[in-house]
Every structure is written in C-alpha cells, then in structure tokens.
Amino acid sequence: MRYNHVQLIEKLRQLRIIPVIALEQAEDIIPLAETLVNNGLPVVEITFRSTAAVQAIQLLRERKPDILIAAGTVLTTEQVVQAKKAGVDCIVTPGFNPKIVQLCQNLDLPIIPGVNNPMAIEAVLAMGIDTVKFFPAQASGGVGMIKALLGPYSMLQIMPTGGINLNNLQDYLSIPNVIACGGSWFVESTLIKAQNWNEIGRLTREVVASIR
C-alpha cells in the first residue's frame, strides 16, 4: 500500500523501531529484508549514504511489495525524485531543507525532516509539518533534550535516531510523543557485508522482544 501521512505515523507507532541501513551491494537488501520480516520487523530505512540505495529500493519494492520502505539521508531534490520513482513510502532527512520539504509536499510524498533545536522546529512547523526526526539524538541531549523541547512544542511527533541502542531504546519509547526510534546497531554494515543473516536475525528478535 501507499501511505498518506496519517497512515504512515500510525504504522510507525505500531513498529516502534526502524532499521537504518547502509548497503554496499544492492542485492543484499533482499535477504536482509527477509531476515527482518521473518523476525517481526517489516520495515527498512535505506540510506542514500551509498550509491546502491536507489537500486536496493527498486529491488525491494518489486520483490517485497508489503514492506514499509523509507529513504534516509536524503540531501538533494534529485534524490527525492529518484527515491519516489524507485517506490519509497516516505523520505527521511538528517536536517531541515525547505526545498526538499516543498518538493515532497508537491509530490504528495510523506517526509520526516531532521531537527535538534527550536529554530529548526519553528521552520518545520511553519511548513505545516509536525512529525520530525530528532537527530543526532544522543549527541543532541537525548531523552532530556526531547522532554525539554516538548515543553513548548507539545504538538510534535518525534522519531529519534542516532546513538540509540538496546540500553536506551525504552527510555526514548516511553515518551508519549516518540512514535518510533531509528537504529542501526542490529543491521550493522559489517554484518550485512559478511551476509551474517543469522546474527542480524538474532539481534532483530532481541529488539522486537524488548519493544513488545
């Protein structure tokens, strides 16, 4: 299915954790996605940190139409267009770029822009967006900073990403405005490169069990 903004937020609230993935080989996305789905996590954020991103998104959309696919680390309007053509459900950016937000709104493509301070939040709200990525989460003050920002900005829906692991995951998820967290510790590039699907499966089960 294609998600509108409301459906997307609802789905993320159900999932609670988004695997943030950097791939060197596009083909690795299929066994990786199968491992995630089989262990209870039918979602991926494929980052544009590598040139394999677009092909990986296309492959996954063709082979696994039911999985929720986000494009992450999107830095240019060209990448938005590429991601949309490849079949993503939403765009996630590390910071706030008004041109990217405007393009996504024009394309009717949900976007979760990155913020970590009041100035960026004000700019995002001015464009009619209330769902944001808090990045880099731990380095920007973590749970304490999110709670402080929610004082004046209680309307925000937040997806913290960056420095999150099994030890602090629950601290973030216990905040009502946090819809889900982004994490890469259970889909490390080294594990993907080694095609260690068993270990990724074990770590994913661990994550899903901690959320449930």
Side-chain angles (χ1 to χ4, degrees), residues 17-23 32 36 43-47 49 72-73 92 133 159-162 181-189 192:
I17 185 86
I18 315 302
V20 179
I21 296 159
L23 290 161
L32 175 58
L36 291 167
V43 57
V44 292
E45 179 184 318
I46 299 173
T47 65
R49 292 184 183 198
T73 322
V92 182
K133 169 178 172 169
M159 186 171 87
T161 307
C181 290
S184 58
W185 79 93
F186 56 103
V187 284
E188 282 282 357
S189 297
I192 297 171

Side-chain angles (χ1 to χ4, degrees), residues 117-118 121-122 125 134 142-158 175-178:
N117 63 71
I121 291 168
E122 297 270 350
L125 291 171
F134 181 66
V143 167
M145 183 64 162
I146 289 175
K147 287 179 176 173
L149 289 170
L150 285 171
Y153 303 114
S154 59
M155 73 293 285
L156 287 181
Q157 308 267 336
I158 303 174
I175 302 169
N177 296 61
V178 169

Side-chain angles (χ1 to χ4, degrees), residues 1-12 14-15 42 60-62 64-70 84 86-90 108-110:
M1 70 178 277
R2 285 292 169 274
Y3 297 84
N4 63 31
H5 180 73
V6 174
Q7 292 165 329
L8 177 71
I9 301 315
E10 204 175 294
K11 186 68 178 170
L12 292 175
Q14 287 168 13
L15 293 162
L60 190 56
R61 182 50 76 210
E62 286 163 15
K64 299 272 173 196
D66 295 336
I67 201 165
L68 172 60
I69 307 176
K84 165 93 172 168
V88 295
D89 295 298
C90 76
D108 206 17
L109 181 61

Side-chain angles (χ1 to χ4, degrees), residues 25 44 47 58 65 73 76 92 97 107 113 124-127 130 133 141 151-152 161 165 190 201:
Q25 305 292 329
V44 292
T47 65
Q58 280 171 332
T73 322
T76 67
V92 182
N97 180 329
L107 292 172
V124 163
L125 291 171
M127 293 192 79
D130 64 0
K133 169 178 172 169
T161 307
N165 56 47
T190 48

